[in-house]
């Protein structure tokens, strides 16, 4: 029998939903009386909250497990208990136990059972749970007691879109929305715990649907309007959205709701209609561009962000050029771009015409150069704007603080304001990834 772990460390990889899940797992273990270790290297229990979206992310888990054990051996410590959580746990299940001899495997919909699984592992019983029971976990998690100035709140999980490259529909299950009251209650608890900004999370967050207190059917726009009325909550964001779920009410919320920040992460993946069809995206290039026009009509200063995949099977040079031209047309404020990675069990993994690695490298470089250029252009165009900055943490220099603009730019400024303050700032200069601001001098009335 192993001894029961007294300290834990959660390490999250991948998306913001994993960051949220990681925080919840930490809260859960703290509620069981365990204490947080400073680093993974001195924890009795290490939870690796994993990402399966690309092959590299998955391989990282296995190399991390090896490294953690080596560090413990070198320090003459007992081997730590290792729990693999998240999407690799869901996708690979028992294979991980066979390949890496980990103690616990727990999927993203069953991590509320982590303490019970750890107890099973201590008693030498198999400890694996990759069930996908919709929403069961939320009711079993402790209340939110601590939050930074900017907090995540998962409102929706799963995906029914089945893009042909993507593992999410298999690892996170079908689209489900958390109920209205559970979300409003958690938002209120986060604000009471210190949050001034909440980012609503979901794999398809804008597919969120539910009923409000009066039993009326509402979408994400309605939920945002209600959250905007919470006293103490200054800012609302949401991510990630699918173009086909961008309802008019949500677009209108960008025009009407003061607390909804002018930022939209709206992945398009590719600029060619043939590739979009092969990806099963259910939208065209033109449909996406018209949608962007409607969003910009509602909120002209909105900052746009996207996700891109280069080298999808069969993507020709001419089709890739259509991605570049779409980027030119939209002018993203920031974006994420990836080389296509074939994922086991997804339809695209079996397609003919896998693109050569050199071509992928070349395309990624060209795309990132274009996106980098646009990011700098967006930042430069922001110079001269006056805006509120939510202070998130101290900077490197004495008296310097770092925070976020409404357009999600990192802003550094000299101020005696504290973390969680909203400071009126003039944006005075732009770098590739951050802005400098000067606190606006308040004149006596
Ligand atoms: N290969 C490369 N990128 C992928 N993404 C999802 N699946 C893959 C894959 N198989 C990217 C998409 C998605 C983001 C979260 O990850 O761009 O929007
Ligand atoms: Fe994956 Fe497509 Fe669903 Fe996004 S919409 S999670 S890319 S299947």
């Amino acid at each position: 029998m192993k001894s029961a772990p007294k300290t834990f460390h959660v390490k999250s990889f991948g998306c913001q939903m994993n960051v949220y899940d990681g925080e919840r797992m930490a809260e859960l273990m703290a509620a069981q009386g365990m204490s947080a270790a400073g680093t993974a290297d001195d924890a009795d229990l290490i939870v690796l909250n994993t990402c399966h979206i690309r092959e590299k992310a998955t391989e990282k888990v296995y190399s991390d497990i090896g490294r953690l054990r080596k560090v413990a051996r070198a320090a003459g410590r007992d081997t730590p208990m290792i729990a693999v959580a998240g999407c690799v746990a869901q996708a690979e299940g028992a294979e991980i136990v066979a390949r890496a001899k980990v103690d616990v495997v727990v999927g993203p919909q069953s991590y509320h059972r982590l303490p019970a699984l750890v107890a099973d592992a201590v008693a030498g019983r198999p400890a694996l749970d990759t069930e996908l029971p919709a929403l069961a976990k939320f009711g079993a998690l402790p209340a939110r007691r601590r939050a930074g100035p900017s907090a995540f709140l998962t409102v929706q999980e799963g995906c029914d879109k089945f893009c042909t490259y993507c593992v999410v529909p298999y690892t996170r299950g079908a689209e489900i929305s958390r109920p209205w009251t559970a979300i409003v209650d958690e938002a209120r608890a986060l604000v009471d715990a210190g949050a001034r900004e909440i980012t609503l999370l979901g794999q398809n967050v804008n597919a969120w649907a539910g009923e409000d207190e009066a039993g009326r059917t509402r979408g994400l726009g309605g939920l945002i309007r209600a959250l905007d009325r919470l006293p103490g909550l200054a800012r609302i964001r949401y991510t990630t959205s699918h173009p086909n779920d961008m309802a008019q009410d949500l677009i209108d919320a960008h025009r009407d709701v003061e607390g909804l920040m002018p930022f939209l992460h709206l992945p398009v993946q590719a600029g060619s209609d043939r590739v979009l069809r092969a990806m099963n995206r259910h939208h065209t290039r033109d449909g996406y561009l018209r949608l962007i026009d409607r969003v910009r009509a509602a909120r002209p200063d909105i900052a746009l962000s996207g996700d891109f995949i280069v080298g999808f099977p069969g993507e020709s040079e001419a089709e890739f050029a259509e991605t570049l031209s779409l980027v030119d047309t939209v002018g993203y404020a920031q974006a994420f771009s990836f080389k296509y990675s074939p994922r086991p069990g997804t339809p695209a993994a079996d397609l003919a015409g896998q693109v050569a690695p050199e071509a992928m490298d070349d395309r990624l470089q060209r795309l990132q150069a274009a996106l980098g250029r646009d990011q700098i252009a967006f930042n430069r165009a922001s110079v001269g704007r006056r805006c509120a900055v939510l202070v998130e943490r101290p900077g490197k220099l004495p008296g310097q603080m770092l925070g976020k603009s409404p357009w999600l730019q990192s802003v550094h400024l000299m101020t005696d304001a504290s973390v969680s303050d909203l400071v009126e700032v003039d944006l005075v200069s732009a770098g590739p990834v951050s802005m400098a601001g000067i606190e606006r001098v308040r004149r006596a009335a």
Side-chain angles (χ1 to χ4, degrees):
M1 220 172 96
K2 296 201 173 200
S3 50
K6 295 192 181 62
T7 60
F8 68 89
H9 183 84
V10 181
K11 191 167 170 192
S12 287
F13 302 84
C15 67
Q16 289 146 323
M17 301 203 48
N18 262 13
V19 175
Y20 174 89
D21 291 343
E23 286 169 6
R24 306 297 328 250
M25 283 188 260
E27 290 165 355
L28 187 61
M29 281 176 302
Q32 303 286 314
M34 292 172 71
S35 54
T39 67
D41 292 338
D42 43 36
D44 303 334
L45 166 68
I46 300 162
V47 181
L48 297 175
N49 189 23
T50 61
C51 172
H52 195 55
I53 198 102
R54 285 167 290 274
E55 191 183 358
K56 253 199 189 143
T58 304
E59 284 309 313
K60 232 175 165 163
V61 183
Y62 291 103
S63 60
D64 235 50
I65 293 171
R67 195 195 60 79
L68 288 164
R69 288 192 173 136
K70 219 159 130 190
V71 169
R73 265 200 309 277
R77 298 175 57 234
D78 286 348
T79 334
M81 184 176 270
I82 294 184
V84 176
C87 292
V88 177
Q90 191 64 40
E92 301 197 350
E95 264 175 70
I96 310 172
V97 182
R99 184 172 158 189
K101 310 268 177 304
V102 299
D103 303 278
V104 174
V105 173
V106 62
Q109 299 302 353
S110 27
Y111 63 74
H112 56 295
R113 296 206 52 248
L114 189 56
L117 291 165
V118 168
D120 284 342
V122 168
R125 290 188 294 269
L128 184 143
D129 189 342
T130 53
E131 290 296 305
L132 286 172
L135 298 178
K137 68 176 177 235
F138 290 104
L141 295 170
R144 314 300 309 262
R145 294 220 164 74
R146 287 209 349 230
S150 179
F152 290 140
L153 200 176
T154 293
V155 302
Q156 183 280 340
E157 287 205 58
C159 182
D160 298 338
K161 307 285 191 294
F162 290 93
C163 299
T164 52
Y165 50 81
C166 188
V167 287
V168 167
Y170 314 98
T171 57
R172 291 270 172 169
E175 285 178 14
I176 42 161
S177 297
R178 287 182 70 192
W180 174 279
T181 43
I183 296 166
V184 174
D185 288 350
E186 189 171 329
R188 204 175 280 125
L190 285 168
V191 172
D192 289 346
R196 306 224 51 201
E197 171 178 282
I198 291 180
T199 302
L200 306 175
L201 298 179
Q203 265 97 26
N204 281 276
V205 71
N206 59 341
W208 184 87
E211 283 183 0
D212 64 14
E213 286 102 344
R216 278 173 309 206
T217 303
R218 308 294 290 265
L220 188 68
L223 181 64
I224 287 171
R225 285 169 206 269
L227 294 176
D228 188 53
R229 288 194 289 273
L230 277 185
L233 182 61
R235 293 180 158 190
I236 303 168
R237 303 180 182 276
Y238 62 95
T239 197
T240 287
S241 296
H242 190 284
N244 291 2
D245 291 319
M246 210 60 218
Q248 189 59 44
D249 184 49
L250 181 57
I251 297 176
D252 292 345
H254 277 286
R255 183 192 58 213
D256 306 334
V257 180
E258 204 195 329
L260 178 58
M261 292 295 100
F263 186 95
L264 175 62
H265 180 66
L266 196 63
V268 62
Q269 315 296 356
S272 133
D273 281 337
R274 194 205 61 82
V275 174
L276 288 170
R277 236 183 348 265
M279 287 178 162
N280 196 33
R281 289 287 298 176
H282 291 289
H283 62 77
T284 59
R285 169 196 180 92
D286 194 49
Y288 179 84
L289 291 174
R290 275 185 284 124
L291 175 59
I292 296 284
D293 286 344
R294 283 166 55 215
V295 172
R296 280 194 162 135
R299 181 77 207 220
D301 70 333
I302 200 158
L304 293 162
S305 161
D307 287 343
F308 297 89
I309 296 175
V310 302
F312 184 80
E315 183 189 68
S316 67
E317 176 56 33
E319 286 165 344
F320 170 66
E322 291 189 71
T323 298
L324 289 179
S325 82
L326 179 136
V327 166
D328 287 347
T329 307
V330 173
Y332 290 92
Q334 54 166 266
F336 302 93
S337 47
F338 313 99
K339 287 187 269 189
Y340 169 72
S341 169
R343 308 307 293 128
T346 59
D350 301 323
L351 287 178
Q354 302 285 328
V355 174
E358 307 75 49
M360 286 219 226
D361 286 335
D362 174 61
R363 287 177 197 173
L364 187 67
Q365 247 179 40
R366 284 151 64 203
L367 177 60
Q368 291 187 340
L371 292 168
R373 175 203 65 205
D374 289 352
Q375 182 162 358
I376 294 176
F378 183 86
N379 287 347
R380 290 211 177 117
S382 308
V383 172
R385 272 177 170 165
R386 179 166 291 173
C387 64
V389 166
L390 176 61
V391 177
E392 293 184 348
R393 59 193 163 91
K396 284 202 189 99
L397 308 173
Q400 190 188 49
M401 298 298 263
L402 296 179
K404 292 271 162 50
S405 77
W407 307 280
L408 206 63
Q409 295 148 305
S410 290
V411 180
H412 51 89
L413 68 150
M414 304 303 286
T415 177
D416 54 13
S418 316
V419 168
S420 292
D421 284 345
L422 278 160
V423 180
E424 275 288 302
V425 157
D426 287 323
L427 299 175
V428 290
S429 70
V433 292
S434 69
M435 308 283 303
I438 292 185
E439 189 171 7
R440 202 180 146 198
V441 180
R442 266 162 242 165
R443 281 187 222 105

